[in-house]
Amino acid sequence: LQTPGAVFFIFGATGDLARRKLFPAIYSLYREGKLAEDFAVIGVARRPRTQEEFRSDIFNSIQEFCRYKTEDNEDFRSFAQHFEYKSLDINNVDGFRELNEQTMVLEERYHIPGNRIFYLALAPELFGSVSFNLQKGGMLDSAGWKRLVIEKPFGYDLKSAEELNEQIRQVFKEEEIYRIDHYLGKEMVQNIEVIRFANAFFEPLWNNKHIANVQITLGETVGVEERGGYYDHAGALRDMGQNHMLQMLTMIAMEPPSRLLPEDIRDEKVKVLRSLRPYAGAEEVGRNVVRGQYVQGSSRGKDLPAYREEDKVDPNSNTETYFMARVFVDNFRWAGVPFYIRTGKRLPVKTTEVVVEFKGMPNNVYLGQKHKLEPNLLVIRVNPMEGIYVKINAKKPGSESEIEPLAMDFCQSCMVGINSPEAYERLLHDAARGDSTYFTRWDEVATAWSFVDRIAEAWKQDPEGPRPYPAGSWGPEEADRLLAEDGFHWWPVN
Ligand code: BG6
């Protein structure tokens, strides 16, 4: 499906996100014929840049980060013709007026009917002033639709998120706002819905009668890289927990929507967030949540520095680089089923995985044998491997009645010819087509913040700080103990 003709404005065009994700995503859409010929992109940032320099930034970004490669040939040049650059101080309305003039020229050249999509790859503190100046500078007066796409983190806590939202809402309507959570653009996260709702195998078992627990892991091997300044202020709970982790949890736990329409799906997701059992105070947070910070360690023979030694990180920082929580969804379907969610930097593997552990079989003929039955597992691999596997018990070939677990494994990313679109491709395409299904609505963001704020509040009062864990390990041991209390353990991830 092609996007309708539109101008894409990338605010923060010289930044990391634009270079790593946005330009490559636009190019992939172009290559796949998903972008209408009548498109234009204006990169906006403070720093001066000639059109030539900007186009060569785009070329380099595609070469380095895009799943399609290109050469500096005719085809690339005609693509790059659609890109222009505007150096702009976002506090200066006159710059926006000039931007409007520049836009109108492009709209005329490419016969674009005034549709405008503003992507703010900027710090959230700037969302408000950019929105106001877009309005004052006449950028919202064109004939077509206008949409605002904004990156996470959406605020620092509920209060700041509300303030931010209020500012943006003075200019844009809720249905014009597309809040990105790029995990929702991942192929396998979207597949969760299909696996659940299109398979007679799973849906009847998808409840507390049959599921013992759910484990969601978002592990990263990287440290904070060049983002120490941002990360030390945010930490794992705000950087990953409030958004990606809770969003994945909602996809696993939501009720089937009555129709597959954006609002129906988002209604079901927000119900899950509202059903999260809030921790009653610091003591409950202490019993259910573990926070950690990496100290020196090693991985694959390489020594790794401690978090506190990283660039732009306070040497006495108490920011968590790991967090794990036992969460309950207090509704009819999930009462009593623990959801264990964990994420961390400098873990042993880069992986995003959901493990659904089913309850054991009732006392059966095999009990009393020397082989203990393993529980059935459904594992959804999101990243970097994409696939699903189901662990079942079967007779060991050649034995009398020995049972062994075996995996029925479907690896999507191993299949030749499958080159899954990147999350940002999918999301940019959706935003341009006006499909907000995989964007977070304000009430989702707000409800997630109120859950997370209680944890952050308890941590503020806890003098102990995060538990240290060696870089390259699976985080503090408390996280294992927490599952052991419930008679479970983490299933090894791949
Ligand atoms: C971002 C976080 O939202 O997600 C980063 O800010 C994190 O800290 C990243 O590294 C992980 O995304 P992905 O797609 O690589 O799993």
Side-chain angles (χ1 to χ4, degrees):
L1 266 173
Q2 273 201 337
T3 56
V7 182
F8 295 78
F9 298 86
I10 313 274
F11 284 78
T14 51
D16 220 39
L17 186 77
R19 193 167 67 92
R20 284 174 185 271
K21 302 288 183 188
L22 303 181
F23 300 143
I26 294 172
Y27 186 65
S28 298
L29 291 174
Y30 176 79
R31 280 285 291 262
E32 295 198 340
K34 291 182 178 157
L35 209 56
E37 262 303 302
D38 47 354
F39 80 98
V41 180
I42 305 189
V44 182
R46 192 182 344 214
R47 137 171 19 150
R49 214 127 187 78
T50 64
Q51 303 299 2
E52 262 329 292
E53 283 168 337
F54 184 50
R55 286 173 193 163
S56 106
D57 290 346
I58 289 161
F59 180 75
N60 294 336
S61 121
I62 292 168
Q63 290 307 74
E64 200 173 345
F65 298 110
C66 189
R67 64 196 178 94
Y68 289 108
K69 297 294 167 230
T70 181
E71 282 166 27
D72 193 3
N73 54 20
E74 195 48 41
D75 179 56
F76 174 74
R77 280 192 290 272
S78 76
F79 168 75
Q81 278 301 321
H82 293 253
F83 284 70
E84 287 198 356
Y85 184 79
K86 169 73 184 152
S87 152
L88 180 86
D89 166 4
I90 52 174
N91 295 311
N92 176 8
V93 187
D94 287 338
F96 285 79
R97 295 204 181 95
E98 289 163 21
L99 180 62
N100 199 26
E101 299 294 319
Q102 187 177 344
T103 309
M104 288 194 290
V105 174
L106 279 173
E107 286 173 338
E108 196 163 315
R109 184 185 311 155
Y110 293 109
H111 311 289
I112 299 171
N115 297 330
R116 296 178 177 183
I117 186 158
F118 305 102
Y119 196 117
L120 309 192
L122 300 171
E125 302 83 79
L126 305 174
F127 294 169
S129 35
V130 172
S131 302
F132 292 136
N133 282 341
L134 283 171
Q135 190 170 50
K136 284 195 214 140
M139 290 288 295
L140 307 181
D141 299 337
S142 64
W145 46 253
K146 322 291 171 302
R147 291 181 191 139
L148 181 74
V149 184
I150 45 186
E151 268 296 326
K152 62 156 268 278
F154 195 80
Y156 179 78
D157 51 18
L158 179 59
K159 189 166 164 290
S160 58
E162 276 170 347
E163 284 164 10
L164 199 59
N165 199 48
E166 232 161 75
Q167 292 179 354
I168 299 171
R169 285 297 308 278
Q170 288 178 37
V171 180
F172 293 95
K173 299 203 245 345
E174 174 66 26
E175 57 274 23
E176 293 175 323
I177 304 173
Y178 290 72
R179 296 181 194 82
I180 292 245
D181 184 312
H182 78 279
Y183 267 65
L184 293 178
K186 289 186 191 272
E187 190 67 31
M188 286 306 291
V189 173
Q190 300 189 351
N191 209 354
I192 292 175
E193 219 177 80
V194 181
I195 293 167
R196 285 191 51 195
F197 302 140
N199 288 298
F201 282 145
F202 300 124
E203 190 48 32
L205 304 182
W206 212 256
N207 55 49
N208 57 3
K209 292 190 192 65
H210 301 285
I211 291 179
N213 71 77
V214 178
Q215 306 179 7
I216 305 178
T217 300
L218 268 67
E220 295 191 276
T221 48
V222 291
V224 289
E225 315 297 289
E226 314 84 41
R227 295 164 76 224
Y230 150 76
Y231 194 88
D232 204 32
H233 186 60
L237 177 65
R238 294 186 176 87
D239 185 50
M240 304 285 270
Q242 186 270 346
N243 36 75
H244 308 325
M245 303 224 65
L246 289 183
Q247 283 293 326
M248 292 208 13
L249 189 152
T250 62
M251 299 289 279
I252 295 286
M254 71 193 240
E255 293 299 313
S258 52
R259 295 168 304 175
L260 280 181
L261 295 178
E263 294 318 319
D264 298 284
I265 294 174
R266 301 199 295 181
D267 284 347
E268 295 307 334
K269 284 169 60 201
V270 81
K271 281 190 214 160
V272 175
L273 294 167
R274 285 197 210 116
S275 310
L276 295 180
R277 184 185 304 171
Y279 303 116
E283 192 266 332
E284 254 185 40
V285 169
R287 262 191 294 120
N288 291 288
V289 186
V290 178
R291 62 171 163 159
Q293 187 191 72
Y294 61 84
V295 295
Q296 280 181 10
S298 68
S299 173
R300 298 189 179 87
K302 210 176 124 214
D303 288 337
L304 299 169
Y307 174 69
R308 292 179 183 183
E309 294 161 359
E310 302 273 15
D311 196 24
K312 302 206 191 78
V313 168
D314 175 355
N316 299 313
S317 172
N318 262 345
T319 298
E320 78 289 354
T321 57
Y322 171 98
F323 117 95
M324 179 260 149
R326 170 169 49 201
V327 177
F328 287 96
V329 179
D330 279 340
N331 64 15
F332 222 81
R333 186 186 286 268
W334 294 112
V337 179
F339 285 74
Y340 305 110
I341 60 178
R342 63 175 167 172
T343 184
K345 301 276 185 200
R346 289 278 188 236
L347 299 188
V349 270
K350 163 83 182 162
T351 185
T352 301
E353 207 174 270
V354 180
V355 180
V356 179
E357 176 177 335
F358 290 86
K359 288 190 172 167
M361 296 299 286
N363 215 353
N364 67 44
V365 288
Y366 298 109
L367 287 183
Q369 300 265 337
K370 57 181 184 296
H371 286 273
K372 194 175 155 283
L373 281 187
E374 294 271 341
N376 290 137
L377 305 180
L378 165 67
V379 180
I380 302 174
R381 288 172 170 154
V382 173
N383 184 27
M385 288 249 274
E386 293 176 355
I388 309 164
Y389 82 84
V390 183
K391 216 161 130 201
I392 61 171
N393 291 307
K395 180 172 163 294
K396 187 172 178 186
S399 74
E400 291 239 333
S401 62
E402 257 181 75
I403 294 177
E404 63 178 6
L406 74 89
M408 297 204 299
D409 198 345
F410 165 64
C411 175
Q412 181 161 294
S413 48
C414 312
M415 283 166 70
V416 182
I418 294 205
N419 187 1
S420 293
E422 286 273 334
Y424 279 92
E425 271 170 67
R426 170 73 199 239
L427 295 175
L428 268 178
H429 189 233
D430 284 356
R433 287 182 310 124
D435 182 347
S436 53
T437 311
Y438 294 113
F439 293 83
T440 49
R441 207 167 58 186
W442 165 244
D443 52 353
E444 292 180 69
V445 175
T447 317
W449 273 125
S450 26
F451 180 74
V452 159
D453 278 357
R454 285 171 185 259
I455 302 176
E457 197 46 48
W459 285 350
K460 254 200 275 172
Q461 295 155 20
D462 167 23
E464 270 194 70
R467 308 287 174 274
Y469 66 96
S473 75
W474 272 110
E477 283 164 10
E478 280 87 342
D480 298 338
R481 285 210 284 277
L482 220 143
L483 268 73
E485 274 170 27
D486 300 339
F488 300 125
H489 60 80
W490 290 105
W491 291 98
V493 299
N494 298 279

